[in-house]
Amino acid sequence: MRPTGPLRSSPLPGDGAPVTRRRREAIPVSAATTRSRTPDRLCAEAVDLARTAAEEAAAPGVVGEHVSAVSEGDRVVTHFFECKEFGYRGWRWAVTVARASRAKIVTLDEAVLLPGPDALLAPEWVPWSERLRPGDMGPGDLLPTESDDLRLEPGFTGEDAPPPNSPVSEEMAELVEAEYAESTDDIDVTAVPPADLPLAPARGSISAVAEELGMRRARVLSRYGLHIAADRWDENFGAKTAMAQAAPATCVSCAFLMPIAGSLRQAFGVCANEFSPADGRMVSLAYGCGGHSEAAVMPKPPKPAVPVLDEMRADPFPLRPAPDSGSVPTDAVSADADLGHS
């Protein structure tokens, strides 16, 4: 065996130039790289043992033909059998067998039912909190919102700020505490349920002031909530829909468009055309349909001229027709013939 050590130089015969020799290093080889993927012969031949184990785990008559055998490692083989049970199309019974090194007895590891490449599987599980879809709510259903919902933000702030940053003065806070103490002096707390106890007056609080000013909503839509609402409305009634592509004009010039308040009025409105597919819906100003108020205006019917009556002129009417008028020849009727009038 050659000794290993650091690089060293030795003189070459004939001249004094040194020669560098490189050290040989051993390359580590793991067992996984040398493991053979060929199934072990004894384990691959243990089909009857694997079938017996599968029939014990399954119901009688549901284990079908032997499909294949796959090597899982050194002396470890998994046998696959067809599953004939109703509702498990494409599933296979997998039975793993193994044997120890230098042993000729094959033992059983496990028997399980696994899906195959074309197995009939259930759809991906969806958490209960994400199963609700638009239109699922019915009368009487309640949908609670989380306290940290990204679509919402506080409508007003500063209510819980301690002094001196609190908008409620110390005198008002002391007055509220005194009124609450007076209202609860004559009440036996132990004899009254907590739900029937009087609440502290909200006079002077931020919520009371906000309600007086018309800001009754404790939470309002956040910027994120506005963005996702605008994307949803634009997807249903926006410029990229088939109806808008074939429309003669957009909603921005339609008389049936009702403007809205807030920051979204620059891009959306409410349709008030009963014949439009978007009646009562929030539509984009770039949306359009065939019911546009100015797309096809019907022309007004022409008015007849006012009749003119000339009451100052007399029109002569002859008692007898002219001789050259009519279809009766003049020689057939004499001039003094009776016209048949009494």
Side-chain angles (χ1 to χ4, degrees):
M1 182 176 180
R2 294 185 179 180
T4 59
L7 298 178
R8 59 182 180 178
S9 301
S10 61
L12 188 65
D15 55 5
V19 176
T20 303
R21 296 182 179 177
R22 296 188 177 274
R23 180 181 58 184
R24 295 184 178 181
E25 298 181 355
I27 300 177
V29 180
S30 62
T33 57
T34 59
R35 180 181 301 169
S36 175
R37 305 303 299 178
T38 303
D40 183 74
R41 183 179 61 84
L42 296 179
C43 293
E45 294 175 354
V47 178
D48 296 338
L49 175 64
R51 178 181 295 276
T52 303
E55 291 177 350
E56 291 179 358
V62 299
V63 180
E65 299 295 331
H66 184 263
V67 178
S68 61
V70 179
S71 175
E72 303 290 350
D74 292 341
R75 298 176 299 278
V76 180
V77 176
T78 299
H79 294 270
F80 292 96
F81 298 90
E82 180 185 359
C83 180
K84 295 183 178 182
E85 189 171 359
F86 293 103
Y88 288 87
R89 185 188 64 189
W91 289 66
R92 302 177 301 180
W93 285 100
V95 181
T96 303
V97 295
R99 69 179 182 89
S101 177
R102 299 182 182 180
K104 296 183 180 181
I105 300 177
V106 179
T107 58
L108 177 66
D109 282 357
E110 61 178 356
V112 293
L113 183 63
L114 298 178
D118 55 344
L120 180 62
L121 301 176
E124 185 178 357
W125 187 82
V126 180
W128 290 103
S129 59
E130 302 177 4
R131 294 190 180 186
L132 187 64
R133 292 295 179 266
D136 291 348
M137 293 188 60
D141 295 340
L142 297 178
L143 179 61
T145 56
E146 300 179 359
S147 58
D148 55 348
D149 196 329
L150 297 178
R151 300 171 300 173
L152 305 176
E153 63 183 9
F156 47 85
T157 58
E159 183 176 10
D160 299 332
N165 297 328
S166 176
V168 181
S169 61
E170 297 182 1
E171 293 79 5
M172 181 60 68
E174 294 176 358
L175 179 60
V176 170
E177 293 179 0
E179 291 180 354
Y180 178 73
E182 293 177 0
S183 62
T184 57
D185 285 342
D186 301 333
I187 298 178
D188 187 5
V189 179
T190 59
V192 179
D196 297 337
L197 292 176
L199 300 177
R203 185 180 63 175
S205 62
I206 291 297
S207 57
V209 176
E211 183 175 359
E212 185 175 354
L213 296 177
M215 303 168 56
R216 299 183 178 181
R217 296 183 298 171
R219 292 191 295 177
V220 296
L221 273 178
S222 62
R223 184 175 296 273
Y224 173 74
L226 290 174
H227 277 296
I228 60 176
D231 293 341
R232 185 172 61 253
W233 297 339
D234 188 73
E235 181 180 358
N236 297 331
F237 298 99
K240 296 182 179 180
T241 58
M243 182 67 71
Q245 295 291 335
T250 59
C251 294
V252 70
S253 59
C254 183
F256 295 106
L257 180 72
M258 297 179 58
I260 61 175
S263 59
L264 292 182
R265 66 176 304 168
Q266 302 178 3
F268 295 94
V270 179
C271 179
N273 190 349
E274 59 179 334
F275 300 105
S276 173
D279 180 33
R281 305 292 185 88
M282 191 72 65
V283 297
S284 172
L285 298 184
Y287 181 74
C289 66
H292 196 280
S293 60
E294 311 301 328
V297 181
M298 296 294 294
K300 296 182 179 180
K303 294 183 179 180
V306 180
V308 179
L309 299 178
D310 189 0
E311 299 179 353
M312 303 302 294
R313 178 182 177 183
D315 297 330
F317 292 95
L319 295 178
R320 298 179 182 277
D324 57 349
S325 65
S327 59
V328 181
T330 55
D331 54 355
V333 181
S334 60
D336 56 351
D338 189 5
L339 297 178
H341 297 282
S342 57

